[in-house]
Amino acid sequence: MYGQFTVVFYNFLKFNLAGSAVYGAHPWHWYLTQGVPAILGTHAIFIAVAFLKHRDYPRQFLGVAIATLLFFSMIAHKEFRFIQHLMPICMIWAGLGLHWISRHIERSSLYTIIMLNSLVNILVAFYIGFFHQRGTISVVHDLSSSVKSGDSVVFLTPCHATPYHSHIHAAEVDLRFLDCSPDMTGQENYEHEEKQFYRDPNSWWNKFRSERKVAAQSSEFVVAFEENLPRLHEMLKDSGYRVSRKYFFAHLLVDDKLNFSFAALQENILEFDGFEQIFIFNNLHNVGSQDQV
């Protein structure tokens, strides 16, 4: 099948342990300083109480948790989901901590703590579920009702930042996003397309446009984050694009590729509300004169 002797499991371990940095690298302490606190939230308080006050917490689980965190900390690429499976163990400790608290405070105070903990988690879940990074969903949802057969959409965002065919089902719509596939050929100084774009957006765009043909009587949409707008502004203007919509993305940014580096654009061009935005630029190829950016 592979044309040579191949141990698939070895290649799997080799890539994930040594080559995962192509998807983004984090410092070794990321799980301890960001990953674990983020997934535990307010439950971390109860876990701390269990460790400090409860003598009978299950220590056998502690070794499992430490070994898991040490192993995944050695891998350059880190994500919250990689340690999500530790939550059941952590909830056991949280329950023991809450049990200790219940035996040392009045019942009314216990109910207050439980209600406050529940309220905080409900509010956080509501915010994350309905507001945080919602723009990536909203933009493709609106595009699904805007594009028609023959149109094209170019996502100038970090790869896999937005949904794709799960929302856009129109036939013969050309969808294009920045590729971030790892080098599997051993090419020296390999740089995937996403890195090329963020290093020099203008050069990437000019090369992309020179190689791309868009049919007449069709529309081309470009989706980009606000952070890229200053560099993309002039070349999109020269190409006949205009801003057709903008979307709120997030109050809190977790990726340096999403940070914006300016306060405002030129007067009477476009105003911002200070939050990260996602923009759709539209180029209608069947229109002679365009409303420009």
Side-chain angles (χ1 to χ4, degrees):
M1 179 182 295
Y2 297 102
Q4 59 183 353
F5 179 74
T6 302
V7 180
V8 175
F9 184 67
Y10 169 76
N11 288 339
F12 172 82
L13 288 178
K14 179 182 177 181
F15 177 79
N16 283 279
L17 293 178
S20 64
V22 297
Y23 293 112
H26 300 80
W28 66 268
H29 56 76
W30 188 85
Y31 284 123
L32 296 177
T33 58
Q34 299 182 53
V36 172
I39 67 171
L40 292 182
T42 55
H43 294 92
I45 300 174
F46 304 132
I47 294 174
V49 171
F51 286 165
L52 296 173
K53 299 294 185 180
H54 205 295
R55 297 180 179 179
D56 299 325
Y57 72 87
R59 289 173 173 77
Q60 64 271 29
F61 292 146
L62 185 60
V64 174
I66 293 176
T68 300
L69 292 176
L70 287 176
F71 176 78
F72 282 107
S73 293
M74 293 187 296
I75 301 175
H77 182 64
K78 300 175 177 64
E79 295 185 28
F80 295 113
R81 62 191 176 98
F82 293 169
I83 58 172
Q84 233 11 83
H85 59 278
L86 292 178
M87 284 297 289
I89 295 177
C90 293
M91 291 303 100
I92 293 175
W93 293 329
L96 291 174
L98 186 59
H99 176 260
W100 185 91
I101 293 174
S102 68
R103 298 177 60 184
H104 292 80
I105 63 174
E106 295 182 359
R107 186 172 296 273
S108 59
S109 299
L110 176 63
Y111 288 157
T112 300
I113 291 175
I114 294 175
M115 291 180 62
L116 287 175
N117 180 68
S118 301
L119 179 61
V120 169
N121 282 277
I122 290 172
L123 291 176
V124 170
F126 180 79
Y127 172 76
I128 292 177
F130 290 94
F131 296 98
H132 183 61
Q133 297 187 359
R134 64 175 292 178
T136 54
I137 304 296
S138 300
V139 66
V140 290
H141 179 270
D142 288 350
L143 279 172
S144 66
S145 60
S146 301
V147 296
K148 61 183 184 300
S149 179
D151 289 349
S152 61
V153 183
V154 182
F155 293 91
L156 299 182
T157 63
C159 62
H160 312 305
T162 61
Y164 214 49
H165 289 295
S166 62
H167 285 68
I168 302 177
H169 306 296
E172 298 182 5
V173 173
D174 182 18
L175 301 178
R176 177 73 157 79
F177 67 91
L178 299 173
D179 181 53
C180 60
S181 300
D183 175 34
M184 305 303 294
T185 62
Q187 179 180 341
E188 187 176 357
N189 298 322
Y190 172 77
E191 189 177 54
H192 57 63
E193 190 176 45
E194 181 191 310
K195 286 186 177 180
Q196 296 174 19
F197 172 76
Y198 277 95
R199 175 173 50 80
D200 191 348
N202 289 26
S203 296
W204 186 93
W205 176 257
N206 291 332
K207 181 176 183 294
F208 172 75
R209 290 288 295 179
S210 66
E211 298 173 351
R212 185 178 181 83
K213 294 181 180 179
V214 181
Q217 306 300 316
S218 64
S219 300
E220 183 175 60
F221 299 87
V222 176
V223 180
F225 278 97
E226 177 186 343
E227 182 266 346
N228 288 316
L229 195 58
R231 290 175 288 177
L232 295 172
H233 176 75
E234 288 301 325
M235 60 185 180
L236 289 173
K237 176 181 177 182
D238 294 340
S239 299
Y241 288 82
R242 62 182 176 84
V243 176
S244 59
R245 303 169 202 168
K246 70 176 182 178
Y247 298 85
F248 167 77
F249 180 66
H251 296 97
L252 304 174
L253 306 176
V254 296
D255 192 322
D256 56 3
K257 295 173 184 174
L258 309 180
N259 287 331
F260 54 87
S261 56
F262 60 94
L265 290 180
Q266 298 176 9
E267 186 178 1
N268 298 326
I269 298 294
L270 190 63
E271 296 181 356
F272 300 96
D273 58 11
F275 299 127
E276 186 74 7
Q277 306 282 345
I278 298 176
F279 293 89
I280 297 182
F281 299 91
N282 182 216
N283 190 8
L284 303 176
H285 291 273
N286 60 332
V287 180
S289 60
Q290 302 294 332
D291 295 328
Q292 296 182 332
V293 177

